[in-house]
């Protein structure tokens, strides 16, 4: 997942070839993601919006959870992600229950009060004002409807086989860079967002906010898809020139994951751990209270159902 060149980054900080990356990420954590959706206990027959659906990787899990009477609307600002999502669903049993549309999270192409659940995975890290966005999304929920946000928090990541002081330098350098990179023309990104989500939902006006954590642990020997995931993450930590990290540390770090002979994957002590956050809240606020002027701040997108020839 090399994202060194700003030209290859779209408006929300994703490299344009990110679909492959998202698939790798999804497959490598398939077990935990299945459990996350199971634990949500989504209502059979309900209407779920997958906000920032990307290439539609969560759709099969959501469709299974809400059953054949339920409906899913996937929205995203990336046309290539939507086309991929639509293609993925064409021959699936749930194809008639799913639609994909191009829209911003803050300006969903549905009536206010229409959605039973809005689910959004791995998107909050790109939101520069998550409280305002979550509040704007509440308008689209039925009274008592739930917003569910799933995201990462790299403050929880550890590699047991990597020198702890090197790890600490790399993580601190990236965290510092994330605070400053916007001024250098990069899009907003907060890869430490997971543990902040509950506070954001409360500040946005949600009630009964619940946080559930998923401890992702993988040991030697790593399955290939997880090795690819870890290599992508390792490369990403030092992308964009890693301005707050010494060159020597960049070299040592990359060697840990890419050296043909001395990489950490070959060590039988290898252990990777990371905690992911799933936070939900109920919306009871009157729609007018949080009817902030998002549409004025966010240029409106044409609401288009993408029809892909097969
Ligand atoms: C890291 S991807 C996650 C995709 C998918 N949810 C998953 O977990 O595989 C983030 C997605 O959010 C979309 N996105 C980011 N900001 C958005 C916004 N304000 N409105 C709609 N989509 C947005 C991006 O286009 C991208 O497809």
């Amino acid at each position: 997942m090399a994202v060194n060149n700003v030209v290859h980054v779209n408006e929300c900080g994703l490299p344009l070839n990110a679909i492959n990356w998202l698939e790798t990420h999804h497959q490598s954590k398939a077990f935990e993601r299945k459990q996350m959706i199971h634990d949500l206990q989504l209502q059979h027959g309900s209407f779920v919006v997958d906000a920032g659906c990307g290439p539609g990787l969560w759709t099969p899990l959501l469709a299974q959870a809400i059953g054949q009477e339920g409906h899913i609307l996937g929205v995203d600002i990336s046309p290539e992600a939507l086309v991929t999502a639509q293609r993925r669903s064409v021959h699936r049993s749930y194809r008639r229950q799913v639609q994909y549309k191009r829209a911003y999270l803050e300006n969903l192409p549905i009536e206010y009060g229409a959605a039973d659940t809005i689910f959004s995975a791995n998107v909050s890290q790109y939101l520069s004002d998550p409280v305002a966005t979550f509040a704007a999304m509440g308008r689209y929920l039925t009274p008592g409807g739930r917003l569910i946000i799933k995201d990462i928090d790299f403050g929880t990541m550890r590699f047991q086989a990597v020198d702890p002081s090197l790890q600490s330098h790399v993580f601190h350098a990236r965290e510092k860079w994330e605070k400053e990179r916007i001024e250098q023309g990069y899009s907003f990104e907060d890869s430490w967002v997971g543990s902040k989500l509950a506070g954001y939902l409360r500040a946005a006006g949600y009630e009964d906010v619940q946080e559930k954590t998923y401890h992702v642990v993988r040991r030697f020997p790593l399955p290939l898809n997880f090795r690819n995931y870890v290599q992508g993450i390792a490369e990403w930590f030092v992308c964009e020139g890693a301005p707050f990290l010494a060159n020597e540390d960049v070299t040592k770090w990359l060697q840990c994951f890419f050296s043909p002979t001395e990489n950490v994957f070959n060590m039988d002590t290898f252990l990777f751990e990371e905690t992911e956050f799933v936070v939900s809240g109920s919306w009871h606020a009157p729609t007018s209270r949080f009817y902030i002027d998002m549409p004025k701040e966010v240029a409106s997108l044409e609401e288009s159902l993408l029809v892909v020839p097969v």
Side-chain angles (χ1 to χ4, degrees):
M1 191 184 59
V3 285
N4 275 310
N5 189 342
V6 77
V7 172
H8 297 303
V9 176
N10 74 10
E11 58 209 282
C12 68
L14 270 177
L16 293 180
N17 63 355
I19 288 169
N20 285 347
W21 164 253
L22 292 174
E23 285 167 353
T24 299
H25 192 184
H26 192 74
Q27 283 156 12
S28 68
K29 295 183 184 162
F31 172 78
E32 287 83 3
R33 290 187 174 191
K34 193 173 173 193
Q35 189 64 45
M36 287 173 193
I37 297 299
H38 175 264
D39 292 349
L40 291 174
Q41 299 189 322
L42 297 174
Q43 254 191 327
H44 265 245
S46 60
F47 173 37
V48 179
V49 176
D50 184 357
C53 62
L57 298 164
W58 294 84
T59 307
L61 295 173
L62 294 171
Q64 193 182 16
I66 59 175
Q68 290 178 357
E69 305 301 317
H71 289 93
I72 300 169
L73 171 67
V75 303
D76 203 286
I77 49 173
S78 158
E80 58 269 55
L82 291 167
V83 167
T84 309
Q86 182 112 351
R87 284 211 174 108
R88 193 185 301 281
S89 73
V90 163
H91 297 297
R92 308 295 284 263
S93 57
Y94 52 74
R95 64 189 177 282
R96 294 191 206 293
Q97 298 168 254
V98 183
Q99 278 196 328
Y100 295 102
K101 290 191 179 185
R102 191 160 183 241
Y104 283 102
L105 260 51
E106 302 86 349
N107 204 3
L108 297 175
I110 56 172
E111 299 285 320
Y112 293 155
D116 297 306
T117 303
I118 303 177
F119 171 79
S120 186
N122 307 313
V123 185
S124 68
Q125 59 194 277
Y126 301 110
L127 302 175
S128 57
D129 190 347
V131 174
T133 297
F134 296 161
M137 292 164 90
R139 297 172 298 163
Y140 298 98
L141 285 165
T142 55
R146 279 195 300 165
L147 176 68
I148 298 161
I149 306 292
K150 178 266 167 201
D151 225 319
I152 51 164
D153 190 322
F154 283 177
T156 66
M157 194 178 277
R158 303 276 175 276
F159 297 92
Q160 192 163 298
V162 176
D163 171 10
S165 86
L166 173 62
Q167 239 175 116
S168 159
H169 290 168
V170 171
F171 285 29
H172 283 116
R174 176 68 204 187
E175 199 174 2
K176 187 167 180 208
W177 175 229
E178 284 203 357
K179 295 193 176 101
E180 303 201 9
R181 60 195 281 287
I182 310 158
E183 280 154 32
Q184 308 295 323
Y186 292 90
S187 316
F188 180 86
E189 206 168 315
D190 180 2
S191 308
W192 275 254
V193 72
S195 51
K196 302 172 191 164
L197 288 171
Y200 289 158
L201 260 73
R202 286 190 190 101
Y206 289 84
E207 294 174 22
D208 187 26
V209 172
Q210 293 177 20
E211 177 189 271
K212 199 160 169 47
T213 53
Y214 292 83
H215 194 202
V216 179
V217 185
R218 298 289 186 277
R219 293 184 163 78
F220 173 89
L222 274 195
L224 185 61
N225 60 20
F226 210 87
R227 182 182 172 129
N228 291 340
Y229 165 68
V230 171
Q231 284 182 322
I233 289 292
E235 207 182 10
W236 170 88
F237 264 108
V238 296
C239 73
E240 297 161 358
F244 296 114
L245 197 60
N247 287 341
E248 192 190 331
D249 282 340
V250 174
T251 308
K252 273 198 230 161
W253 174 256
L254 290 175
Q255 206 167 10
C256 289
F257 302 98
F258 293 94
S259 161
T261 49
E262 290 167 45
N263 69 69
V264 289
F265 304 116
N266 293 338
M267 299 168 74
D268 57 11
T269 53
F270 180 88
L271 183 143
F272 167 91
E273 55 185 324
E274 177 186 8
T275 298
E276 299 207 345
F277 290 73
V278 179
V279 179
S280 70
S282 308
W283 185 256
H284 296 280
T287 50
S288 57
R289 183 175 155 204
F290 286 101
Y291 190 10
I292 50 176
D293 283 340
M294 290 306 294
K296 282 188 197 156
E297 291 163 28
V298 180
S300 68
L301 286 171
E302 196 187 326
E303 291 174 16
S304 54
L305 171 60
L306 292 164
V307 180
V308 185
V310 284

